[in-house]
Protein backbone atom coordinates (compact mmCIF):
# COMPACT_ATOMS: atom_id res chain seq x y z
CA UNK A 1 0.00 0.00 0.00
CA UNK A 2 1.41 3.37 -0.99
CA UNK A 3 0.43 6.67 0.61
CA UNK A 4 0.26 9.92 -1.46
CA UNK A 5 2.78 12.52 -0.53
CA UNK A 6 0.00 15.10 0.09
CA UNK A 7 -1.38 13.05 2.96
CA UNK A 8 1.90 12.23 4.69
CA UNK A 9 2.01 15.58 6.45
CA UNK A 10 -1.43 14.96 8.12
CA UNK A 11 -0.63 11.42 9.36
CA UNK A 12 1.06 10.74 12.67
CA UNK A 13 4.39 9.04 12.89
CA UNK A 14 3.09 5.71 14.22
CA UNK A 15 0.41 5.43 11.52
CA UNK A 16 2.91 6.43 8.86
CA UNK A 17 5.14 3.48 9.76
CA UNK A 18 2.24 1.06 9.23
CA UNK A 19 1.22 2.57 5.91
CA UNK A 20 4.70 2.90 4.34
CA UNK A 21 5.88 -0.27 2.55
CA UNK A 22 8.76 -2.04 4.34
CA UNK A 23 12.20 -1.77 2.77
CA UNK A 24 13.78 -4.81 1.20
CA UNK A 25 16.62 -6.56 3.01
CA UNK A 26 19.91 -6.84 1.13
CA UNK A 27 21.21 -9.86 3.01
CA UNK A 28 20.21 -13.49 2.84
CA UNK A 29 18.56 -15.29 5.71
CA UNK A 30 19.18 -18.77 4.37
CA UNK A 31 21.71 -21.00 6.14
CA UNK A 32 25.25 -21.03 4.77
CA UNK A 33 26.58 -24.21 3.20
CA UNK A 34 30.05 -24.98 4.48
CA UNK A 35 32.69 -26.80 2.48
CA UNK A 36 32.51 -29.87 4.71
CA UNK A 37 28.72 -30.05 4.40
CA UNK A 38 28.66 -30.32 0.61
CA UNK A 39 26.74 -33.27 -0.75
CA UNK A 40 28.77 -36.33 -1.52
CA UNK A 41 27.55 -36.34 -5.09
CA UNK A 42 29.11 -32.93 -5.85
CA UNK A 43 32.48 -34.02 -4.40
CA UNK A 44 32.46 -37.25 -6.39
CA UNK A 45 31.61 -35.40 -9.57
CA UNK A 46 34.46 -32.94 -9.01
CA UNK A 47 36.94 -35.79 -8.46
CA UNK A 48 35.64 -37.62 -11.49
CA UNK A 49 36.11 -34.54 -13.68
CA UNK A 50 39.64 -34.11 -12.32
CA UNK A 51 40.44 -37.74 -13.10
CA UNK A 52 39.03 -37.34 -16.60
CA UNK A 53 41.22 -34.29 -17.12
CA UNK A 54 44.29 -36.27 -16.11
CA UNK A 55 43.43 -39.07 -18.50
CA UNK A 56 42.95 -36.64 -21.37
CA UNK A 57 46.34 -35.08 -20.68
CA UNK A 58 47.95 -38.51 -20.55
CA UNK A 59 46.41 -39.56 -23.87
CA UNK A 60 47.63 -36.43 -25.62
CA UNK A 61 50.65 -37.50 -27.75
CA UNK A 62 52.08 -33.98 -27.80
CA UNK A 63 52.88 -34.04 -24.09
CA UNK A 64 56.65 -34.07 -23.59
CA UNK A 65 56.61 -36.02 -20.35
CA UNK A 66 54.59 -38.85 -21.81
CA UNK A 67 56.90 -39.14 -24.82
CA UNK A 68 59.93 -39.29 -22.57
CA UNK A 69 58.41 -42.10 -20.51
CA UNK A 70 57.32 -44.05 -23.55
CA UNK A 71 53.84 -44.68 -22.15
CA UNK A 72 50.52 -42.88 -22.06
CA UNK A 73 49.83 -43.51 -18.40
CA UNK A 74 49.27 -40.73 -15.92
CA UNK A 75 48.78 -40.87 -12.17
CA UNK A 76 45.21 -41.49 -11.10
CA UNK A 77 44.03 -38.56 -9.00
CA UNK A 78 41.42 -40.67 -7.25
CA UNK A 79 44.14 -43.15 -6.37
CA UNK A 80 46.27 -40.37 -4.91
CA UNK A 81 43.46 -39.34 -2.58
CA UNK A 82 42.37 -42.86 -1.67
CA UNK A 83 45.93 -44.24 -1.44
CA UNK A 84 45.02 -47.29 -3.52
CA UNK A 85 47.58 -46.81 -6.30
CA UNK A 86 51.01 -48.04 -5.15
CA UNK A 87 52.83 -46.51 -8.10
CA UNK A 88 51.35 -43.14 -7.26
CA UNK A 89 52.48 -43.48 -3.67
CA UNK A 90 56.01 -44.18 -4.88
CA UNK A 91 55.90 -41.03 -6.98
CA UNK A 92 54.76 -39.00 -4.01
CA UNK A 93 57.47 -40.47 -1.79
CA UNK A 94 60.11 -39.63 -4.38
CA UNK A 95 59.07 -35.98 -4.20
CA UNK A 96 59.81 -35.93 -0.47
CA UNK A 97 63.43 -37.02 -0.86
CA UNK A 98 66.28 -34.66 0.02
CA UNK A 99 67.37 -34.41 -3.63
CA UNK A 100 63.97 -33.24 -4.86
CA UNK A 101 62.79 -31.20 -1.89
CA UNK A 102 65.53 -28.60 -2.05
CA UNK A 103 65.43 -26.30 0.93
CA UNK A 104 62.43 -28.09 2.48
CA UNK A 105 64.68 -30.90 3.66
CA UNK A 106 68.10 -29.32 3.31
CA UNK A 107 71.15 -31.17 4.59
CA UNK A 108 73.75 -29.17 6.46
CA UNK A 109 76.90 -28.83 4.33
CA UNK A 110 80.09 -30.50 5.48
CA UNK A 111 82.47 -28.25 7.38
CA UNK A 112 85.53 -27.37 5.30
CA UNK A 113 89.17 -28.06 6.05
CA UNK A 114 91.26 -25.03 6.94
CA UNK A 115 94.80 -24.06 6.03
CA UNK A 116 96.10 -21.58 8.59
CA UNK A 117 98.93 -19.34 7.35
CA UNK A 118 100.64 -17.52 10.23
CA UNK A 119 103.30 -15.25 8.82
CA UNK A 120 105.44 -12.90 10.88
CA UNK A 121 108.64 -11.04 10.11
CA UNK A 122 110.58 -13.83 11.85
CA UNK A 123 108.93 -17.06 10.61
CA UNK A 124 106.05 -18.63 8.67
CA UNK A 125 103.82 -21.43 10.02
CA UNK A 126 101.38 -23.58 8.00
CA UNK A 127 98.77 -25.71 9.77
CA UNK A 128 96.20 -27.95 8.05
CA UNK A 129 93.11 -28.53 10.19
CA UNK A 130 90.13 -30.79 9.56
CA UNK A 131 86.72 -30.82 11.27
CA UNK A 132 87.02 -32.85 14.50
CA UNK A 133 86.87 -36.54 13.62
CA UNK A 134 87.77 -39.73 15.40
CA UNK A 135 91.15 -41.33 14.79
CA UNK A 136 89.49 -44.30 13.06
CA UNK A 137 87.99 -41.95 10.44
CA UNK A 138 91.26 -40.12 9.79
CA UNK A 139 93.44 -41.68 7.10
CA UNK A 140 96.76 -40.25 8.29
CA UNK A 141 96.31 -41.31 11.93
CA UNK A 142 97.33 -44.96 11.18
CA UNK A 143 94.67 -46.06 13.68
CA UNK A 144 92.28 -48.82 12.62
CA UNK A 145 88.89 -49.36 14.21
CA UNK A 146 89.53 -53.12 14.38
CA UNK A 147 93.11 -53.36 15.64
CA UNK A 148 93.36 -50.29 17.88
CA UNK A 149 91.84 -49.94 21.30
CA UNK A 150 88.51 -48.27 21.82
CA UNK A 151 90.14 -45.23 23.42
CA UNK A 152 92.52 -44.71 20.48
CA UNK A 153 89.76 -45.21 17.91
CA UNK A 154 87.54 -42.60 19.59
CA UNK A 155 90.32 -40.06 20.03
CA UNK A 156 89.38 -36.85 18.23
CA UNK A 157 91.87 -35.47 15.71
CA UNK A 158 91.70 -32.05 14.10
CA UNK A 159 95.30 -31.05 13.24
CA UNK A 160 96.60 -33.03 10.26
CA UNK A 161 99.88 -31.21 9.61
CA UNK A 162 101.84 -28.36 11.16
CA UNK A 163 105.17 -27.22 9.71
CA UNK A 164 107.26 -24.05 9.73
CA UNK A 165 110.21 -22.69 7.84
CA UNK A 166 112.52 -23.93 10.59
CA UNK A 167 111.57 -27.55 9.79
CA UNK A 168 113.04 -27.13 6.31
CA UNK A 169 116.48 -26.12 7.59
CA UNK A 170 116.19 -22.33 7.57
CA UNK A 171 117.80 -20.62 10.53
CA UNK A 172 117.53 -17.26 12.24
CA UNK A 173 116.77 -14.40 9.85
CA UNK A 174 116.34 -16.77 6.90
CA UNK A 175 113.14 -18.20 8.37
CA UNK A 176 111.21 -15.00 7.74
CA UNK A 177 112.26 -14.53 4.12
CA UNK A 178 110.03 -14.79 1.07
CA UNK A 179 111.97 -17.74 -0.36
CA UNK A 180 111.65 -19.75 2.85
CA UNK A 181 107.88 -19.25 2.91
CA UNK A 182 107.53 -20.22 -0.76
CA UNK A 183 109.51 -23.45 -0.26
CA UNK A 184 107.47 -24.17 2.85
CA UNK A 185 104.20 -23.84 0.93
CA UNK A 186 105.46 -26.07 -1.91
CA UNK A 187 106.60 -28.69 0.63
CA UNK A 188 103.25 -28.63 2.42
CA UNK A 189 101.20 -29.01 -0.76
CA UNK A 190 103.39 -31.93 -1.86
CA UNK A 191 102.98 -33.67 1.51
CA UNK A 192 99.20 -33.29 1.34
CA UNK A 193 99.19 -35.08 -2.00
CA UNK A 194 101.66 -37.81 -1.03
CA UNK A 195 99.93 -38.65 2.24
CA UNK A 196 96.60 -39.17 0.49
CA UNK A 197 94.79 -36.27 2.14
CA UNK A 198 93.30 -34.92 -1.08
CA UNK A 199 90.57 -37.56 -1.05
CA UNK A 200 89.16 -36.21 2.22
CA UNK A 201 89.50 -32.52 1.37
CA UNK A 202 86.41 -31.44 -0.55
CA UNK A 203 86.21 -27.83 0.66
CA UNK A 204 89.15 -25.76 1.90
CA UNK A 205 89.34 -22.39 3.62
CA UNK A 206 92.58 -20.40 3.72
CA UNK A 207 92.99 -18.42 6.95
CA UNK A 208 95.65 -15.70 6.73
CA UNK A 209 97.15 -14.16 9.85
CA UNK A 210 99.95 -11.62 9.99
CA UNK A 211 101.57 -9.37 7.39
CA UNK A 212 104.95 -11.03 7.00
CA UNK A 213 106.64 -12.01 3.75
CA UNK A 214 105.08 -15.47 3.97
CA UNK A 215 101.60 -14.09 3.39
CA UNK A 216 102.24 -13.26 -0.25
CA UNK A 217 104.59 -16.22 -0.77
CA UNK A 218 101.98 -18.82 0.23
CA UNK A 219 99.37 -17.08 -1.94
CA UNK A 220 101.66 -17.19 -4.97
CA UNK A 221 102.46 -20.85 -4.37
CA UNK A 222 98.76 -21.70 -4.11
CA UNK A 223 98.03 -19.94 -7.39
CA UNK A 224 101.05 -21.51 -9.12
CA UNK A 225 101.81 -25.03 -10.26
CA UNK A 226 102.51 -26.19 -6.69
CA UNK A 227 98.90 -25.65 -5.64
CA UNK A 228 97.12 -26.92 -8.75
CA UNK A 229 95.51 -29.78 -6.79
CA UNK A 230 94.28 -27.60 -3.94
CA UNK A 231 93.18 -24.28 -5.39
CA UNK A 232 90.12 -25.84 -7.04
CA UNK A 233 88.89 -26.87 -3.61
CA UNK A 234 89.24 -23.44 -2.00
CA UNK A 235 85.85 -22.03 -1.05
CA UNK A 236 86.94 -18.99 0.96
CA UNK A 237 89.85 -16.84 2.13
CA UNK A 238 89.65 -15.37 5.64
CA UNK A 239 91.86 -12.73 7.27
CA UNK A 240 92.28 -13.49 10.99
CA UNK A 241 94.96 -10.91 11.75
CA UNK A 242 94.61 -9.62 15.29
CA UNK A 243 94.43 -5.86 15.55
CA UNK A 244 95.10 -4.02 18.77
CA UNK A 245 92.31 -1.78 20.00
CA UNK A 246 93.22 0.30 23.01
CA UNK A 247 95.22 -1.29 25.80
CA UNK A 248 98.60 -0.19 27.18
CA UNK A 249 101.08 1.88 25.24
CA UNK A 250 103.07 -0.14 22.70
CA UNK A 251 106.81 -0.32 22.54
CA UNK A 252 108.62 2.21 20.43
CA UNK A 253 109.50 0.86 16.98
CA UNK A 254 113.10 -0.18 16.57
CA UNK A 255 115.11 2.26 14.50
CA UNK A 256 118.56 1.44 13.11
CA UNK A 257 121.17 4.15 12.65
Amino acid sequence: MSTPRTLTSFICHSCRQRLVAPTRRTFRTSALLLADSKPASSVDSALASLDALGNSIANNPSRRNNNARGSNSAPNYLGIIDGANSNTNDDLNSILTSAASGNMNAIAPEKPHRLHVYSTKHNTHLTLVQPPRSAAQTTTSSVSSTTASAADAKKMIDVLMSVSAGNLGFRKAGRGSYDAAYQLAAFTFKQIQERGMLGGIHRLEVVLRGFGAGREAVTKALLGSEGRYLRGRVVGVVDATRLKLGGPRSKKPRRLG
Side-chain angles (χ1 to χ4, degrees):
M1 178 179 180
S2 61
T3 304
R5 293 185 179 182
T6 57
L7 299 178
T8 56
S9 60
F10 302 99
I11 301 175
C12 63
H13 180 73
S14 60
C15 296
R16 188 186 307 171
Q17 296 296 330
R18 293 196 300 269
L19 295 176
V20 175
T23 58
R24 296 181 179 180
R25 295 181 180 180
T26 59
F27 57 90
R28 297 179 59 184
T29 58
S30 60
L32 296 178
L33 185 60
L34 301 179
D36 296 338
S37 60
K38 288 184 178 180
S41 59
S42 61
V43 177
D44 295 339
S45 61
L47 294 178
S49 61
L50 184 62
D51 189 45
L53 178 62
N55 294 331
S56 63
I57 294 175
N59 295 327
N60 189 358
S62 62
R63 301 297 296 178
R64 183 179 302 176
N65 295 333
N66 293 333
N67 293 334
R69 293 179 181 177
S71 62
N72 293 331
S73 61
N76 189 352
Y77 293 98
L78 295 177
I80 294 177
I81 299 174
D82 298 335
N85 194 344
S86 61
N87 296 330
T88 304
N89 293 334
D90 295 339
D91 295 338
L92 292 177
N93 294 331
S94 63
I95 298 176
L96 301 179
T97 58
S98 60
S101 61
N103 292 332
M104 293 188 297
N105 190 19
I107 301 176
E110 182 183 0
K111 293 183 178 180
H113 287 61
R114 291 183 177 178
L115 178 64
H116 292 267
V117 182
Y118 179 38
S119 59
T120 64
K121 62 180 180 179
H122 302 295
N123 204 343
T124 302
H125 301 264
L126 294 182
T127 305
L128 181 63
V129 179
Q130 70 173 356
R133 296 176 183 174
S134 61
Q137 296 178 350
T138 304
T139 308
T140 58
S141 63
S142 66
V143 175
S144 176
S145 58
T146 56
T147 59
S149 61
D152 293 338
K154 294 182 179 180
K155 183 179 179 181
M156 302 303 293
I157 296 178
D158 51 359
V159 178
L160 299 179
M161 183 186 304
S162 180
V163 291
S164 64
N167 299 126
L168 300 184
F170 293 93
R171 292 293 178 262
K172 298 191 178 182
R175 294 176 296 181
S177 62
Y178 181 94
D179 184 55
Y182 194 93
Q183 293 187 27
L184 175 65
F187 173 79
T188 304
F189 299 157
K190 185 177 180 181
Q191 289 295 315
I192 292 175
Q193 180 183 0
E194 291 181 353
R195 294 186 184 183
M197 299 180 185
L198 288 176
I201 301 177
H202 304 289
R203 304 169 70 239
L204 180 66
E205 281 186 359
V206 180
V207 182
L208 302 175
R209 179 183 169 190
F211 297 102
R215 183 187 184 98
E216 184 179 357
V218 176
T219 305
K220 293 293 184 181
L222 185 61
L223 296 176
S225 60
E226 294 83 359
R228 60 185 180 273
Y229 299 108
L230 278 178
R231 64 169 171 264
R233 308 168 193 262
V234 176
V235 295
V237 179
V238 182
D239 192 347
T241 304
R242 299 175 183 177
L243 301 178
K244 180 182 177 182
L245 298 176
R249 183 175 180 178
S250 303
K251 291 181 62 176
K252 292 183 179 180
R254 182 183 178 184
R255 302 185 185 277
L256 300 177

